[in-house]
Each structure stands twice: as structure tokens, then as C-alpha cells.
Amino acid sequence: MKYDFNQTINRENTRAVKYDFREKLFGSNEILPMWVADMDFASTPFLQEAIIERARHNVYGYTTYDKELLETVQSWLKERHQFDVSTDLISLSPGVIPSLHALVQSFTEEGDQIVIQPPVYPPFFSVVKEHNREIVENPLIEKDHHYEINFTQLEEQFKNGAKAFILCSPHNPVGRVWTQDEVQRMVDLCEKYDVYLFSDEIHADIIFSEGRHYPSETLSNNSESNKRIFTLMAPSKTFNIAGLQGSYVISPNQKSKEIFDKQLGRQGFVVLNTFAYTAMEAVYKHGEDWLEQLNEQLQENRDLVHRKLQESKTSVKAFDSEGTYLIWLDFRDTGLSHDEISRKLKEDAKVGLNDGKSFGDQGECFMRLNIASPSSVVEEAIDRIIQAFKK
């Protein structure tokens, strides 16, 4: 079946954060929103059919998961990522961020050092700070508009007593899909220095043709009892269902899972909403063909952004992206301050992007662009940016 990813869908007045929050965030509803990390595409029709069928029952009491749902997740991971997991080690959660909060509380103590790699997803900072843990930054190294990991510094930080490491794989916002060697080196260092690895792999399914995702757990050499790798995943980014709030965590062993589940319970997370279960099962059973076509469209959008910027010879540059639907835009050569860049985007281009500073100090004069929209919308956004910064 051929899916249409160039259909423009009006999301206004649906309480969509991306659209209905524009006035408050950018000061105008005329802003073209290219910020929040969700998609402007309709999800797979199998999902809509499954939700409508469940709604026909018209009773929405407490629901729970069953073995079939866990086996559906298990099958997806094995076929998509060659990640063979036990259903006994899967915990369901409303989202990756609540799971990170629970992991930090479960396996670290106040004052413990936790390593993150900025520029990185803003909640990584808050899940450390809000529990009185110490952030240790291992900034990514910029090289030829491409980012690499500073392994020398990372090992030194582990040697100095870091208790945990929060990994973003694939990386938001820079779009890196870590190679097998890079993931292996990070896993090896964690195991060498007994560091917990909380691996956020929510973007694992959105990979372009030149990349491949390697789940951290698949490269572990430790015995099950000694493993300290927790994998956080969800269908939410993959199938544009973040609003249904369903994710899962794969623990390294049963003892760790019990500790984690207990903390989730303390936070009040016991069951998901009815449609989260329905959605997770539907997309993982029937969504692979839709996903393949989605990735092709996103890669075309990425290439469109790079081509337009190169042809325009503007001072705005785009970093290489191997996955996710996020592009890291570099405005440093414009000669403008960060505030001037922000103002120009809002007032001249009238395009809403994620502020680079929210991803850490390394985001000075950077912005994040979401390309998960029809090509015509992406082209309009990049044309507006080019025109604004040509003046």
C-alpha cells in the first residue's frame, strides 16, 4: 500500500502543542511551527482502525497488558533491531522521561554524578538536577559539521566516580546514529567502571539509509546478573503517537526490574490508558511498511534542506543527520548574536524552531528544525529562513 506523506493536515484547534501554543511561545499564530518533536503526518491507518474498533466497545475502565502485547513488543525488537529480549524484563511506562526519573531515583543517590552529552535533549538536565544529583557534561566534539564522542574525557569521568550515564541513541538534536564501534566503546567503558547506562533509544526506528541502530544492550559482554544497561524505547516517535503516552523499559535482569517497577509504582504509574495498549499492539503488528515509506520521505526532506542551503550559499548550515527527523542548524557564520538570530527567525522568517540554548551551552547560535512535515512545508520553512538571513 502506498501512503501519502505530502498531504497537508490542519492540526489547528486540536489542542496540538505544536500549533496551539505558538502565540504563547513565539508571540504570533502566524509562525510556521517546525519545533515540537512530533509529526504532521497521519499515522498508519491500521492504528485508526484499531482505536475505532476498541472505542466501539464504549467501556473505558481500568485496563492492563497481557502476554500477547509483550510478545508483540518482543517480536518488533527482534525483527527490527536483532534485539532478543525476554518478556519478563519489559516494564511499561507512560513515557521515556518518567522512566528516566524513576531510573535516577532507583539506582543513584543524592550527590551522585551522572554523565550526559550536550548538546542534548533538555529533560536530560532536569532528570538529574531535580533529584539533587550532579550533572557531569561530556560534550560532543564537533568535526566538519559532524559530531563525535570524546571517549578520553568520558573514561576520565567514569574513573572519577560517575554513577550513571544517560545516552541519547540516536542523538537528539544532532541526528547522529552511533556506529557499532561507538556504542561498543561506550558500553565497554560503562562495564569496566561499573557505571549504570540509561540508554534512551526512542528514535531507534527512524534511521536513514547510511545508518543502522545498535541497541546498547546487544553489545554488552557482562553476564546477566552483572548487567547495568536499561533500554528505554517507545512507538511514540516512530508512529507519531506521543499523545497516547505509552513506552517501555527493558531491564538487564529480574532484580533490577523489580527495583525499577517499585519506583514507578511510587510515582503512581501502574497502568497505561486503554488506547495506549491498543496503539502499541496495532503499530508494531501492522506498521512496518508505513514506517519504511516514512523513513524514505524523511530522508528526502533532509536532503531537501541540505540542498536548498547549499544552493543558496547562505551563512546558515545544517549538520549531517543520519536519523531522527531533527536537523541541527548552525547560525554561527551569520555574525549575529543568539538573541538576534531568535528574533530574526520569529519576526522576519516567521518560523518557529527549538532554541539551541535549551540543549546546553553548546547550543549557542544553533536551532533545531523538525522536518516531519510534507515536503512543501519543509521547503517553505527553509526558504523563509534563507530569505531572512540573506537580507
Side-chain angles (χ1 to χ4, degrees), residues 339-388:
D339 289 344
E340 289 170 332
I341 293 164
S342 297
R343 187 161 52 250
K344 204 168 187 62
L345 284 166
K346 286 187 287 188
E347 296 177 3
D348 295 348
K350 289 185 167 44
V351 174
L353 306 180
N354 283 94
D355 193 302
K357 280 186 176 181
S358 68
F359 300 89
D361 293 340
Q362 298 77 9
E364 178 89 24
C365 294
F366 285 85
M367 300 287 165
R368 190 188 75 176
L369 168 71
N370 178 350
I371 59 168
S373 296
S375 295
S376 59
V377 176
V378 175
E379 185 168 18
E380 180 181 353
I382 205 65
D383 281 345
R384 289 189 188 188
I385 292 170
I386 288 169
Q387 289 304 314

Short mmCIF file of all heavy atoms in Angstrom, two decimals, residues 339-388:
data_model
loop_
_atom_site.label_atom_id
_atom_site.label_comp_id
_atom_site.label_asym_id
_atom_site.label_seq_id
_atom_site.Cartn_x
_atom_site.Cartn_y
_atom_site.Cartn_z
N ASP A 339 20.40 35.95 20.50
CA ASP A 339 19.12 36.65 20.62
C ASP A 339 18.71 37.28 19.29
O ASP A 339 17.52 37.30 18.94
CB ASP A 339 19.20 37.72 21.70
CG ASP A 339 19.27 37.12 23.10
OD1 ASP A 339 18.95 35.92 23.24
OD2 ASP A 339 19.64 37.84 24.04
N GLU A 340 19.67 37.79 18.55
CA GLU A 340 19.36 38.38 17.25
C GLU A 340 18.87 37.31 16.27
O GLU A 340 17.95 37.56 15.47
CB GLU A 340 20.60 39.09 16.69
CG GLU A 340 20.94 40.37 17.42
CD GLU A 340 22.29 40.94 17.01
OE1 GLU A 340 23.18 40.15 16.59
OE2 GLU A 340 22.47 42.17 17.11
N ILE A 341 19.46 36.14 16.33
CA ILE A 341 19.04 35.03 15.47
C ILE A 341 17.61 34.63 15.81
O ILE A 341 16.77 34.46 14.91
CB ILE A 341 20.00 33.82 15.65
CG1 ILE A 341 21.38 34.16 15.11
CG2 ILE A 341 19.44 32.58 14.94
CD1 ILE A 341 22.47 33.21 15.58
N SER A 342 17.32 34.51 17.09
CA SER A 342 15.97 34.14 17.53
C SER A 342 14.95 35.17 17.06
O SER A 342 13.87 34.80 16.57
CB SER A 342 15.92 34.03 19.06
OG SER A 342 16.75 33.00 19.52
N ARG A 343 15.29 36.43 17.22
CA ARG A 343 14.37 37.50 16.83
C ARG A 343 14.14 37.49 15.31
O ARG A 343 13.02 37.67 14.84
CB ARG A 343 14.93 38.84 17.28
CG ARG A 343 14.00 40.01 17.09
CD ARG A 343 14.38 41.19 17.96
NE ARG A 343 15.78 41.58 17.79
CZ ARG A 343 16.72 41.40 18.72
NH1 ARG A 343 16.42 40.84 19.89
NH2 ARG A 343 17.97 41.79 18.51
N LYS A 344 15.19 37.26 14.56
CA LYS A 344 15.09 37.25 13.10
C LYS A 344 14.23 36.07 12.62
O LYS A 344 13.44 36.20 11.68
CB LYS A 344 16.49 37.16 12.49
CG LYS A 344 16.59 37.70 11.08
CD LYS A 344 18.06 37.84 10.69
CE LYS A 344 18.21 38.55 9.35
NZ LYS A 344 17.69 39.93 9.35
N LEU A 345 14.37 34.94 13.26
CA LEU A 345 13.55 33.78 12.90
C LEU A 345 12.07 34.05 13.15
O LEU A 345 11.21 33.71 12.34
CB LEU A 345 14.01 32.54 13.68
CG LEU A 345 15.31 31.89 13.20
CD1 LEU A 345 15.83 30.90 14.24
CD2 LEU A 345 15.09 31.18 11.86
N LYS A 346 11.78 34.68 14.28
CA LYS A 346 10.38 34.94 14.63
C LYS A 346 9.79 36.10 13.81
O LYS A 346 8.67 35.99 13.30
CB LYS A 346 10.27 35.26 16.13
CG LYS A 346 10.43 34.02 17.02
CD LYS A 346 10.14 34.34 18.47
CE LYS A 346 11.23 35.16 19.11
NZ LYS A 346 11.03 35.30 20.58
N GLU A 347 10.53 37.19 13.68
CA GLU A 347 9.97 38.39 13.09
C GLU A 347 10.11 38.46 11.57
O GLU A 347 9.22 38.97 10.89
CB GLU A 347 10.61 39.63 13.72
CG GLU A 347 10.31 39.75 15.21
CD GLU A 347 11.02 40.93 15.87
OE1 GLU A 347 11.71 41.68 15.12
OE2 GLU A 347 10.89 41.11 17.09
N ASP A 348 11.21 37.95 11.04
CA ASP A 348 11.43 38.03 9.59
C ASP A 348 11.03 36.73 8.89
O ASP A 348 10.24 36.75 7.94
CB ASP A 348 12.90 38.35 9.29
CG ASP A 348 13.31 39.73 9.78
OD1 ASP A 348 12.41 40.52 10.14
OD2 ASP A 348 14.51 40.02 9.81
N ALA A 349 11.59 35.60 9.35
CA ALA A 349 11.27 34.32 8.71
C ALA A 349 9.88 33.82 9.11
O ALA A 349 9.23 33.11 8.36
CB ALA A 349 12.33 33.28 9.08
N LYS A 350 9.48 34.18 10.32
CA LYS A 350 8.22 33.68 10.88
C LYS A 350 8.19 32.15 10.88
O LYS A 350 7.22 31.50 10.46
CB LYS A 350 7.01 34.24 10.13
CG LYS A 350 6.79 35.74 10.39
CD LYS A 350 5.54 36.25 9.73
CE LYS A 350 5.13 37.64 10.22
NZ LYS A 350 6.21 38.60 10.34
N VAL A 351 9.28 31.58 11.37
CA VAL A 351 9.42 30.13 11.52
C VAL A 351 9.75 29.83 12.97
O VAL A 351 10.62 30.49 13.56
CB VAL A 351 10.53 29.57 10.61
CG1 VAL A 351 10.75 28.08 10.87
CG2 VAL A 351 10.18 29.79 9.14
N GLY A 352 9.06 28.88 13.56
CA GLY A 352 9.29 28.52 14.96
C GLY A 352 10.18 27.30 15.07
O GLY A 352 9.81 26.21 14.64
N LEU A 353 11.37 27.47 15.63
CA LEU A 353 12.32 26.38 15.84
C LEU A 353 12.59 26.21 17.33
O LEU A 353 12.30 27.10 18.12
CB LEU A 353 13.64 26.66 15.11
CG LEU A 353 13.57 26.99 13.62
CD1 LEU A 353 14.97 27.23 13.07
CD2 LEU A 353 12.90 25.86 12.85
N ASN A 354 13.16 25.08 17.71
CA ASN A 354 13.59 24.89 19.09
C ASN A 354 14.88 25.64 19.34
O ASN A 354 15.84 25.52 18.56
CB ASN A 354 13.80 23.41 19.41
CG ASN A 354 12.49 22.68 19.62
OD1 ASN A 354 11.95 22.08 18.69
ND2 ASN A 354 11.97 22.73 20.83
N ASP A 355 14.93 26.40 20.40
CA ASP A 355 16.09 27.21 20.74
C ASP A 355 17.28 26.32 21.10
O ASP A 355 17.19 25.48 21.99
CB ASP A 355 15.75 28.13 21.92
CG ASP A 355 16.78 29.20 22.13
OD1 ASP A 355 17.96 28.86 22.35
OD2 ASP A 355 16.41 30.39 22.08
N GLY A 356 18.39 26.54 20.44
CA GLY A 356 19.57 25.71 20.67
C GLY A 356 20.09 25.75 22.08
O GLY A 356 20.64 24.77 22.58
N LYS A 357 19.91 26.89 22.76
CA LYS A 357 20.43 27.01 24.13
C LYS A 357 19.74 26.05 25.09
O LYS A 357 20.30 25.71 26.14
CB LYS A 357 20.26 28.45 24.63
CG LYS A 357 21.31 29.42 24.14
CD LYS A 357 21.11 30.77 24.83
CE LYS A 357 22.18 31.76 24.46
NZ LYS A 357 21.98 33.05 25.14
N SER A 358 18.53 25.62 24.76
CA SER A 358 17.82 24.70 25.66
C SER A 358 18.50 23.33 25.70
O SER A 358 18.23 22.53 26.59
CB SER A 358 16.36 24.55 25.23
OG SER A 358 16.24 23.89 23.98
N PHE A 359 19.39 23.07 24.74
CA PHE A 359 20.09 21.79 24.68
C PHE A 359 21.46 21.85 25.36
O PHE A 359 22.23 20.90 25.29
CB PHE A 359 20.26 21.36 23.22
CG PHE A 359 18.95 21.18 22.49
CD1 PHE A 359 18.34 22.24 21.84
CD2 PHE A 359 18.30 19.95 22.49
CE1 PHE A 359 17.12 22.09 21.19
CE2 PHE A 359 17.09 19.79 21.85
CZ PHE A 359 16.50 20.86 21.20
N GLY A 360 21.74 22.98 26.01
CA GLY A 360 23.01 23.16 26.69
C GLY A 360 23.76 24.37 26.14
O GLY A 360 23.39 24.95 25.12
N ASP A 361 24.83 24.74 26.81
CA ASP A 361 25.62 25.90 26.39
C ASP A 361 26.17 25.72 24.98
O ASP A 361 26.43 26.70 24.27
CB ASP A 361 26.78 26.14 27.35
CG ASP A 361 26.31 26.57 28.73
OD1 ASP A 361 25.16 27.06 28.84
OD2 ASP A 361 27.08 26.41 29.71
N GLN A 362 26.35 24.47 24.56
CA GLN A 362 26.89 24.18 23.24
C GLN A 362 25.90 24.57 22.13
O GLN A 362 26.25 24.54 20.95
CB GLN A 362 27.27 22.70 23.12
CG GLN A 362 28.36 22.25 24.08
CD GLN A 362 27.87 22.05 25.51
OE1 GLN A 362 26.67 22.10 25.79
NE2 GLN A 362 28.79 21.82 26.42
N GLY A 363 24.67 24.91 22.51
CA GLY A 363 23.65 25.27 21.53
C GLY A 363 23.61 26.75 21.20
O GLY A 363 22.70 27.21 20.51
N GLU A 364 24.58 27.50 21.69
CA GLU A 364 24.66 28.93 21.37
C GLU A 364 24.75 29.12 19.86
O GLU A 364 25.62 28.55 19.20
CB GLU A 364 25.88 29.55 22.05
CG GLU A 364 26.12 31.00 21.76
CD GLU A 364 25.41 31.92 22.74
OE1 GLU A 364 25.14 31.48 23.87
OE2 GLU A 364 25.15 33.07 22.38
N CYS A 365 23.82 29.90 19.30
CA CYS A 365 23.75 30.18 17.85
C CYS A 365 23.36 28.96 17.02
O CYS A 365 23.66 28.89 15.82
CB CYS A 365 25.05 30.79 17.33
SG CYS A 365 25.39 32.43 18.03
N PHE A 366 22.69 28.01 17.65
CA PHE A 366 22.11 26.86 16.94
C PHE A 366 20.61 26.84 17.17
O PHE A 366 20.10 27.39 18.15
CB PHE A 366 22.69 25.54 17.47
CG PHE A 366 24.09 25.25 17.02
CD1 PHE A 366 25.18 25.76 17.71
CD2 PHE A 366 24.34 24.44 15.92
CE1 PHE A 366 26.48 25.48 17.32
CE2 PHE A 366 25.63 24.16 15.52
CZ PHE A 366 26.71 24.67 16.22
N MET A 367 19.89 26.17 16.27
CA MET A 367 18.46 25.94 16.41
C MET A 367 18.15 24.53 15.90
O MET A 367 18.86 24.01 15.04
CB MET A 367 17.65 26.97 15.61
CG MET A 367 17.88 28.41 16.01
SD MET A 367 17.12 28.82 17.59
CE MET A 367 17.95 30.39 17.96
N ARG A 368 17.06 23.94 16.41
CA ARG A 368 16.66 22.61 15.95
C ARG A 368 15.43 22.72 15.06
O ARG A 368 14.43 23.32 15.43
CB ARG A 368 16.36 21.70 17.14
CG ARG A 368 16.18 20.23 16.75
CD ARG A 368 15.70 19.39 17.91
NE ARG A 368 14.28 19.62 18.20
CZ ARG A 368 13.58 18.96 19.12
NH1 ARG A 368 14.18 18.04 19.87
NH2 ARG A 368 12.31 19.24 19.32
N LEU A 369 15.52 22.11 13.89
CA LEU A 369 14.44 22.11 12.90
C LEU A 369 13.81 20.72 12.82
O LEU A 369 14.52 19.72 12.67
CB LEU A 369 15.00 22.50 11.53
CG LEU A 369 14.10 22.30 10.30
CD1 LEU A 369 12.96 23.31 10.31
CD2 LEU A 369 14.92 22.43 9.01
N ASN A 370 12.49 20.66 12.90
CA ASN A 370 11.74 19.41 12.76
C ASN A 370 11.29 19.29 11.30
O ASN A 370 10.55 20.13 10.80
CB ASN A 370 10.53 19.45 13.70
CG ASN A 370 9.64 18.22 13.59
OD1 ASN A 370 9.79 17.39 12.70
ND2 ASN A 370 8.69 18.10 14.49
N ILE A 371 11.71 18.22 10.61
CA ILE A 371 11.39 18.06 9.18
C ILE A 371 10.29 17.03 8.95
O ILE A 371 10.08 16.58 7.82
CB ILE A 371 12.64 17.67 8.37
CG1 ILE A 371 13.26 16.36 8.90
CG2 ILE A 371 13.66 18.81 8.38
CD1 ILE A 371 14.32 15.76 7.98
N ALA A 372 9.56 16.64 10.00
CA ALA A 372 8.49 15.64 9.85
C ALA A 372 7.19 16.31 9.43
O ALA A 372 6.19 16.31 10.15
CB ALA A 372 8.31 14.87 11.15
N SER A 373 7.23 16.90 8.24
CA SER A 373 6.08 17.57 7.64
C SER A 373 6.12 17.30 6.13
O SER A 373 7.16 16.87 5.61
CB SER A 373 6.14 19.08 7.88
OG SER A 373 6.04 19.40 9.25
N PRO A 374 5.03 17.55 5.43
CA PRO A 374 5.07 17.41 3.98
C PRO A 374 6.22 18.22 3.39
O PRO A 374 6.59 19.28 3.91
CB PRO A 374 3.71 17.97 3.55
CG PRO A 374 2.81 17.71 4.71
CD PRO A 374 3.68 17.92 5.92
N SER A 375 6.78 17.75 2.29
CA SER A 375 7.93 18.41 1.67
C SER A 375 7.67 19.87 1.37
O SER A 375 8.56 20.72 1.50
CB SER A 375 8.32 17.69 0.38
OG SER A 375 8.77 16.39 0.66
N SER A 376 6.43 20.19 0.97
CA SER A 376 6.10 21.58 0.64
C SER A 376 6.24 22.47 1.87
O SER A 376 6.67 23.63 1.77
CB SER A 376 4.68 21.67 0.10
OG SER A 376 3.73 21.18 1.04
N VAL A 377 5.90 21.96 3.05
CA VAL A 377 6.00 22.73 4.29
C VAL A 377 7.47 22.90 4.68
O VAL A 377 7.91 23.99 5.07
CB VAL A 377 5.22 22.04 5.42
CG1 VAL A 377 5.42 22.79 6.75
CG2 VAL A 377 3.74 21.95 5.07
N VAL A 378 8.24 21.83 4.56
CA VAL A 378 9.67 21.89 4.87
C VAL A 378 10.37 22.87 3.94
O VAL A 378 11.19 23.69 4.37
CB VAL A 378 10.32 20.49 4.76
CG1 VAL A 378 11.83 20.57 4.96
CG2 VAL A 378 9.70 19.54 5.78
N GLU A 379 10.00 22.83 2.65
CA GLU A 379 10.62 23.74 1.68
C GLU A 379 10.26 25.19 1.99
O GLU A 379 11.11 26.08 1.91
CB GLU A 379 10.18 23.37 0.27
CG GLU A 379 10.88 24.19 -0.80
CD GLU A 379 10.68 23.65 -2.20
OE1 GLU A 379 9.73 22.85 -2.40
OE2 GLU A 379 11.47 24.01 -3.09
N GLU A 380 9.01 25.42 2.35
CA GLU A 380 8.61 26.79 2.70
C GLU A 380 9.39 27.30 3.91
O GLU A 380 9.85 28.45 3.94
CB GLU A 380 7.11 26.86 2.99
CG GLU A 380 6.65 28.27 3.35
CD GLU A 380 5.17 28.37 3.65
OE1 GLU A 380 4.43 27.39 3.47
OE2 GLU A 380 4.74 29.47 4.10
N ALA A 381 9.55 26.43 4.90
CA ALA A 381 10.27 26.83 6.11
C ALA A 381 11.71 27.18 5.79
O ALA A 381 12.23 28.22 6.24
CB ALA A 381 10.21 25.71 7.15
N ILE A 382 12.38 26.34 5.02
CA ILE A 382 13.80 26.59 4.75
C ILE A 382 13.97 27.79 3.82
O ILE A 382 14.92 28.56 3.94
CB ILE A 382 14.49 25.32 4.21
CG1 ILE A 382 16.00 25.38 4.51
CG2 ILE A 382 14.24 25.09 2.75
CD1 ILE A 382 16.34 25.33 5.98
N ASP A 383 13.00 27.99 2.90
CA ASP A 383 13.05 29.18 2.03
C ASP A 383 12.89 30.46 2.85
O ASP A 383 13.56 31.46 2.60
CB ASP A 383 11.96 29.11 0.97
CG ASP A 383 12.32 28.18 -0.19
OD1 ASP A 383 13.51 27.81 -0.30
OD2 ASP A 383 11.42 27.80 -0.96
N ARG A 384 11.99 30.42 3.82
CA ARG A 384 11.81 31.60 4.69
C ARG A 384 13.09 31.91 5.45
O ARG A 384 13.47 33.08 5.61
CB ARG A 384 10.68 31.35 5.68
CG ARG A 384 9.28 31.33 5.09
CD ARG A 384 8.28 31.29 6.24
NE ARG A 384 6.91 31.09 5.81
CZ ARG A 384 5.86 31.17 6.62
NH1 ARG A 384 6.04 31.46 7.91
NH2 ARG A 384 4.62 30.97 6.17
N ILE A 385 13.74 30.87 5.95
CA ILE A 385 14.98 31.06 6.71
C ILE A 385 16.06 31.63 5.80
O ILE A 385 16.79 32.58 6.17
CB ILE A 385 15.43 29.72 7.35
CG1 ILE A 385 14.44 29.32 8.44
CG2 ILE A 385 16.84 29.85 7.92
CD1 ILE A 385 14.65 27.91 8.97
N ILE A 386 16.18 31.08 4.60
CA ILE A 386 17.19 31.57 3.66
C ILE A 386 16.96 33.04 3.33
O ILE A 386 17.90 33.86 3.36
CB ILE A 386 17.16 30.71 2.36
CG1 ILE A 386 17.73 29.32 2.65
CG2 ILE A 386 17.96 31.40 1.25
CD1 ILE A 386 17.51 28.31 1.53
N GLN A 387 15.72 33.40 3.05
CA GLN A 387 15.42 34.79 2.69
C GLN A 387 15.69 35.74 3.86
O GLN A 387 16.23 36.83 3.68
CB GLN A 387 13.97 34.92 2.23
CG GLN A 387 13.69 34.29 0.88
CD GLN A 387 14.59 34.83 -0.22
OE1 GLN A 387 14.80 36.04 -0.34
NE2 GLN A 387 15.16 33.93 -0.99
N ALA A 388 15.34 35.30 5.04
CA ALA A 388 15.54 36.17 6.22
C ALA A 388 17.01 36.43 6.48
O ALA A 388 17.38 37.54 6.88
CB ALA A 388 14.88 35.52 7.44
#
